[in-house]
Amino acid sequence: MPSVDDRLRALGAQIRNLRTNAELTQNDLGERAGLVGKYISEIERGTRDIPFSTLLAVIEDGLGMQLDIQVRRTRSEVPKLAAAIDALPDEQRRQMIAILRDLLKLALP
């Protein structure tokens, strides 16, 4: 499992990508979010823990996007799901696999 530092760096990289795609400087984003550019820099490098309220301001006020938080089960559920699908009758198993493939196509970029 990734460490908190790894997750902060990944989040910072994602914010940096969104900011550069929006053609904003760190100062521009900071002004829109009510923060200073130096703070945005620290967030993007993953050297600053970011409170939820600040994350919300950066994403929604700064980038004009909607923050969408998802809570997912860990991958340890995958073997249980695979066993349950494997136990289905052949036709139901084929249908379930087709549904899962379609869902993955929608979910993955």
Side-chain angles (χ1 to χ4, degrees), residues 84-95:
I85 292 171
D86 192 46
L88 293 171
D90 288 343
E91 183 57 29
Q92 286 181 330
R93 184 172 51 248
R94 279 192 287 277
Q95 289 174 350

Side-chain angles (χ1 to χ4, degrees), residues 16-56:
R16 181 183 308 109
N17 287 337
L18 292 170
R19 176 184 58 77
T20 57
N21 288 341
E23 299 180 354
L24 297 171
T25 66
Q26 290 174 339
N27 285 331
D28 293 337
L29 179 56
E31 285 178 19
R32 289 181 175 196
L35 305 166
V36 296
K38 183 179 184 311
Y39 191 22
I40 299 296
S41 174
E42 292 171 344
I43 292 169
E44 288 182 356
R45 287 178 295 159
T47 60
R48 174 70 78 119
D49 198 352
I50 180 169
F52 181 77
S53 58
T54 302
L55 178 61
L56 193 63

